[in-house]
Amino acid sequence: MNHDASAVEAGRYDYETKKGDENQLYGEQPVVPGASTLGEATGRGGNTHRGLKSRHIQFLALGGAIGTGLFVGSGGILALVGPAPLFMAYLSMMFVVWNMMNILGEIATYLPMRGITIPYFVKRFVDPSLSFAVGWNYWYAYSILVAAEASAGSILLEYWDTPVPKAVWIAIFLIVILFLNIVAVGVFGEAEFWFASIKFLTIVGLIILGFVIMLGGSPNDQGRLGFRYWNNPGAFNPYLVDGNTGKFLAYWAACIRAGFAFITSPELIALAAGETIAPRRNIPKAARRFVWRLAIFYGFGSFIIGVLVPSDDGRLLSPTSNATASPFVIGIARAGIKYLNHIINAAILTSAWSAGNAFLFSGSRVLYGMALNGDAPKIFGQTNRNGVPWVAVLATWSIGLLAFLNVSQTGGQVFLWFSNISTISGFIAWIVVMVTYIRFRKALVFNNLLHTLPFSTPFQPYFCYFTLFIVSLLTLTNGFEVFFPGQWSVSSFLAAYITIPIFLTLYIGHKIWFRTRFLIKVDKIDVTSHTKEMDELCSHDVEPVPKNWVQRAWFWVA
């Protein structure tokens, strides 16, 4: 079947078979036989390079997930609702993230073309209008996350009360991540690997230290902490109302806020699939290990935070706080361990750099992929000689300049604004991803191709349906507290819900303008184009064989 590329450029979407019309479209993209990259298939931009190794892709996913959401944002949750809801919320959200990583791993491993992004999959398996809306939503979320990490970095630097103006620190933060993203993907991957390594060593050390302090290993006279702060001031801070209802609302508010720590992190592996060496080996490897490592870091980390610091400590993150600090740093200071609090604060600062680095990479790749798809100006599809979409990188980075709002506003309040905005955007994106997976799987079943999935995860699609229900509830109730008497705030309401009408406007506007149908029919979904090229590409991959126990251990880790 031939495909009319000019019709795609003109914006015509046609999924129906018309008798006698041999040039009608079958899907959202022209299929060019032999094309192994999206740039070649569409002719709208340059190609990226496969420069990310196994250790890069694994540490990229975890590096994006373990950032200021755990190191700084968790302190805000602790202050708001107490240690028990904090711990329970992170455990609950890990189930959601596990499911998201599984379904994204399945789709990305099936078709790891250079240039593909999540909006590409949405356009191919669901609907062009939904792809257009979610693409810009993703770009918006990642751009805001860059600003959020820069904002958190300035908060951490305030711990030292330096004479250097806040604006200078924000500028340094943004310039460093721009340099790491603009040079080459290999440089980005290497920087992210070392940033994330520092982060992992830090969190492991903090968890071990936390248990030592908990069991009485403090150098000062605070003694054995145990569950002291779970008893006084208490495990739960009832939220908005008293009693069990207030405790449940505390847990639900914690789940919503915990979403910021995880939001858009599973997508990092899918977005990097097209720039990964041996994608069908390395993506499943990273996906399988992601949730277990996340469970250790977030499970133990959130537990230790509630043990080391009481929820009424005035130094925890809040809308009115200025010189805020990580709850880990506060806990070390309370234990009387000299100098270590400064070392840990510096290590946590690198985590903000790491997460900001990863989010700038992801946002630029989303914009680049949309340009190849025809959903963004063609200029964003340009790449330099190193395969970096430099125009998309600059455009995404420029939104990070919003971090300079910290100069005129309270740092804690600005960080909370950014986290709320990006969280709701991420929840919307997850809903679209799950709808895409359901359509993708139905098309595979229709074409009797489900058995050809290179990477298959358990309990699907049932876990996907359940997670879709949970995330939809989180999205609708993201700002529920503003509707309680005396809690109304225009800025909080806008931060919690402004993304929803923006997303719907993009979706409905595109659908009206291009007159697309509600969904591509299952029998019209294309699950075969370019899979042959990917099969051939991955057939040449030879898995390295460890020569000794040191290599065997390293291959297991990275």
Side-chain angles (χ1 to χ4, degrees), residues 50-51 73 83 109 134 147 154 178 184 189 193 217 246 264 323 339 346 348 390 411 429 432 436 471 503 534 556:
R50 291 193 185 275
T109 306
V134 80
S154 69
L178 175 63
F193 171 76
T264 69
Y339 309 118
I348 292 173
W390 63 276
V432 175
T436 301
V471 175
F503 179 85
M534 293 300 98
W556 183 85

Side-chain angles (χ1 to χ4, degrees), residues 24-43:
Q24 107 280 348
L25 299 178
Y26 184 87
E28 82 304 329
Q29 288 291 346
V31 178
V32 180
S36 60
T37 74
L38 190 57
E40 293 173 2
T42 62

